[in-house]
Amino acid sequence: MKYLLAILPLLFLLSMLGCEPKDEELTTDRDAVLTFSQDTVLFDTVFVTQGSVTKRLKVYNPNKKAVRISNITLAGAAASPYNLIINGQETIVRNNLELRGKDSLYILVKVNINPNDANLPFLVADSILFDTNGQRQTIKLVAYGQNAVFHRKETIGTTTWTSDLPHVLLDTVLLREGATLTIDKGARIVAGSKGVLLVNGTLNVNGTPEERVTFSGYRREPEYVRAPGQWEGIRILTKSSNNSIKYADIWNTIYGLRIGNPGKGGTLVEGCIISNAFSDGIIAFTSDVQVVNSLIYNCGQFGFGGLGGGNYEVLYSTIVNFNNSLARANPAFVITDYIPDTEIKDKPTSLRLVNSIVYSDGYSSVDELLLDAKAATTMEIAHNLLRTTKYADALKGDGNILNKEPKFKDIGKYNFRLDTLSPASNAAKVLPTIIKDITGTTRSLTAPDIGAYERTID
């Protein structure tokens, strides 16, 4: 008896080793099929030859027992623009893959689309086929391809970028001195992480309220819509002059516009939207800049900065921070007669800030203005809605409205039009040369609204 008791643990261990766990036991039941995280893997616009982001598909075995997936393959086989990564291996087919009961695996899907002769986005489709226990299941793959004009490291002369195809900035593009780059209305410029447009000539962006020009990063996934720092931005260099940027949207940059052309013809920014810049919306150094009917919001540093003196006009514009994901340590609007950490100081400075909103929500600075220009030649600040404690006494009067909520329509959706109860309504002074707003809406001839948007009756 004592010998039996001694070997019982051994017998129990052997019996356990001889029993295959249920989740590893294979089933051939035709009803034991797979489930998936989605029935279609959808890619937004993919620029041809550049490949795409990687999408994930989760494959799940909901059965108690394991199943053997006989084949995982692309229907288009070797001709498919898609490719699969299964268990770290890039392939178009995988055979005899076992998936334990209640277990799952991820398949990564990539796509690379070849050019065709279409200007408009075109559909590229395929399927992933799964064969399990004699049953076939299908997951659709859908991508929208787009031909484009690609710019790598290059220097360009006088030329026009039309709206026929997007222009993709993969690296530095330099407009040489004396040359003119014209960008037609409706054009679309997208950029990779190294993308930057350097302007040493003249830049003419000819958007309209109906056909705006867009500058953005080329990542199309929803999480990148408002992600800052996806490309560098537009830099106006020392030899550049007489630039005009009209009705353009500049998104997701490190800085939107960086302007440094002292003594040259100025830069006009009209009807533009600049948003989600990791650093500055517009930053200018000892330069001449006019901003009209423009919206600048949610930048990491300055919305608008004029440093080291210069001549600045900001008219009928909205410069704000609401629901900003970027931590800020600077006011949204800054004018100085010096450039920090340089020998440039006491430079002549003029500012005309009229009919504009400079504000932020309660989580941001209570002082959204810094005016530090002892050498200022002229400074007109009138009929604005401003958030400031520092200059509350100096700026009261002249039609300025201080520290009153602008009451925008829907800041949750970044809609910075004025609500019906906004104190900025009917509070601007008439500027006879500016008769329309950022959308092309005609402004009141007697009592226009402060900010980029003229309020319309709902």
Side-chain angles (χ1 to χ4, degrees):
M1 183 67 179
K2 65 180 180 179
Y3 297 110
L4 180 59
L5 291 174
I7 65 172
L8 277 176
L10 180 59
L11 293 173
F12 178 74
L13 178 60
L14 291 172
S15 68
M16 289 296 294
L17 291 174
C19 293
E20 185 176 13
K22 284 284 186 183
D23 63 352
E24 295 182 5
E25 183 182 340
L26 280 171
T27 177
T28 58
D29 186 348
R30 287 179 58 85
D31 293 329
V33 292
L34 306 168
T35 59
F36 305 93
S37 56
Q38 60 217 77
D39 60 10
T40 301
V41 179
L42 177 64
F43 294 80
D44 291 325
T45 304
V46 177
F47 294 106
V48 297
T49 76
Q50 290 305 299
S52 73
V53 296
T54 300
K55 296 286 187 175
R56 295 200 306 175
L57 172 69
K58 185 177 181 180
V59 182
Y60 182 63
N61 176 15
N63 306 286
K64 292 181 180 179
K65 294 183 179 181
V67 296
R68 177 177 287 120
I69 308 172
S70 305
N71 298 291
I72 303 175
T73 187
L74 288 167
S80 176
Y82 295 89
N83 217 343
L84 308 177
I85 300 176
I86 304 173
N87 289 340
Q89 180 183 357
E90 191 163 336
T91 183
I92 60 172
V93 61
R94 178 68 186 270
N95 304 120
N96 297 321
L97 179 67
E98 293 187 6
L99 189 58
R100 293 193 309 177
K102 305 295 184 181
D103 202 358
S104 61
L105 67 91
Y106 282 102
I107 295 177
L108 306 182
V109 186
K110 299 194 300 182
V111 62
N112 196 317
I113 299 175
N114 291 321
N116 68 9
D117 58 0
N119 289 343
L120 297 175
F122 51 90
L123 186 67
V124 178
D126 201 349
S127 300
I128 309 177
L129 308 178
F130 295 83
D131 294 322
T132 309
N133 294 340
Q135 297 276 45
R136 170 161 286 184
Q137 295 173 272
T138 302
I139 297 296
K140 297 175 184 177
L141 304 177
V142 178
Y144 291 92
Q146 173 73 77
N147 291 303
V149 180
F150 295 95
H151 302 272
R152 293 172 174 84
K153 279 190 175 180
E154 61 181 283
T155 298
I156 60 175
T158 296
T159 189
T160 297
W161 289 358
T162 67
S163 61
D164 295 343
L165 293 171
H167 289 260
V168 181
L169 309 185
L170 298 174
D171 210 308
T172 301
V173 177
L174 170 64
L175 176 65
R176 67 167 60 99
E177 181 182 357
T180 298
L181 172 60
T182 301
I183 301 180
D184 285 351
K185 63 183 180 181
R188 182 181 172 198
I189 293 86
V190 298
S193 59
K194 296 181 180 179
V196 58
L197 179 59
L198 305 177
V199 179
N200 231 355
T202 297
L203 174 63
N204 289 324
V205 178
N206 295 329
T208 69
E210 299 76 25
E211 295 183 80
R212 302 179 67 85
V213 173
T214 61
F215 296 82
S216 70
Y218 68 53
R219 300 293 293 267
R220 311 317 311 152
E221 310 94 300
E223 60 268 29
Y224 282 87
V225 170
R226 301 192 184 279
Q230 296 179 44
W231 63 293
E232 189 169 332
I234 302 171
R235 194 188 308 175
I236 307 297
L237 303 180
T238 56
K239 303 296 179 63
S240 178
S241 62
N242 301 318
N243 299 291
S244 174
I245 304 169
K246 294 184 176 181
Y247 298 98
D249 299 330
I250 305 173
W251 302 326
N252 314 122
T253 58
I254 295 176
Y255 51 80
L257 288 167
R258 188 177 180 91
I259 303 168
N261 58 342
K264 298 293 184 180
T267 298
L268 170 65
V269 180
E270 181 179 354
C272 292
I273 299 175
I274 303 174
S275 69
N276 302 109
F278 184 79
S279 182
D280 309 301
I282 299 176
I283 181 73
F285 302 93
T286 324
S287 299
D288 295 353
V289 182
Q290 184 183 44
V291 180
V292 181
N293 281 334
S294 291
L295 167 65
I296 305 172
Y297 70 94
N298 288 6
C299 301
Q301 189 164 271
F302 307 140
F304 180 91
L307 309 183
N311 302 299
Y312 305 107
E313 273 194 320
V314 179
L315 312 174
Y316 278 124
S317 291
T318 300
I319 302 171
V320 291
N321 289 279
F322 283 82
N323 298 329
N324 191 349
S325 62
L326 294 166
R328 297 191 305 125
N330 297 287
F333 190 93
V334 174
I335 300 293
T336 72
D337 61 6
Y338 59 88
I339 299 176
D341 303 320
T342 74
E343 296 180 356
I344 298 174
K345 60 182 180 179
D346 299 327
K347 294 294 182 180
T349 308
S350 68
L351 169 66
R352 189 179 181 216
L353 177 63
V354 178
N355 293 348
S356 294
I357 299 172
V358 181
Y359 220 85
S360 62
D361 56 27
Y363 302 101
S364 300
S365 171
V366 296
D367 275 297
E368 292 295 358
L369 270 76
L370 174 62
L371 308 173
D372 195 0
K374 302 178 183 64
T377 54
T378 59
M379 194 167 285
E380 178 189 358
I381 302 175
H383 293 267
N384 304 291
L385 195 160
L386 307 171
R387 185 173 194 186
T388 178
T389 58
K390 184 179 180 70
Y391 304 103
D393 291 334
L395 296 180
K396 65 183 179 182
D398 292 324
N400 291 313
I401 302 168
L402 304 180
N403 303 312
K404 288 188 178 181
E405 288 289 334
K407 297 187 184 301
F408 294 118
K409 256 191 173 176
D410 193 343
I411 58 174
K413 295 181 178 178
Y414 304 98
N415 182 346
F416 295 107
R417 297 171 183 267
L418 301 180
D419 198 358
T420 54
L421 299 178
S422 173
S425 288
N426 306 320
K429 67 183 289 188
V430 175
L431 300 178
T433 60
I434 304 174
I435 61 173
K436 294 190 176 183
D437 74 350
I438 190 172
T439 66
T441 299
T442 300
R443 290 191 178 272
S444 168
L445 298 177
T446 56
D449 297 331
I450 295 174
Y453 294 92
E454 184 77 3
R455 189 175 64 82
T456 56
I457 298 174
D458 295 328

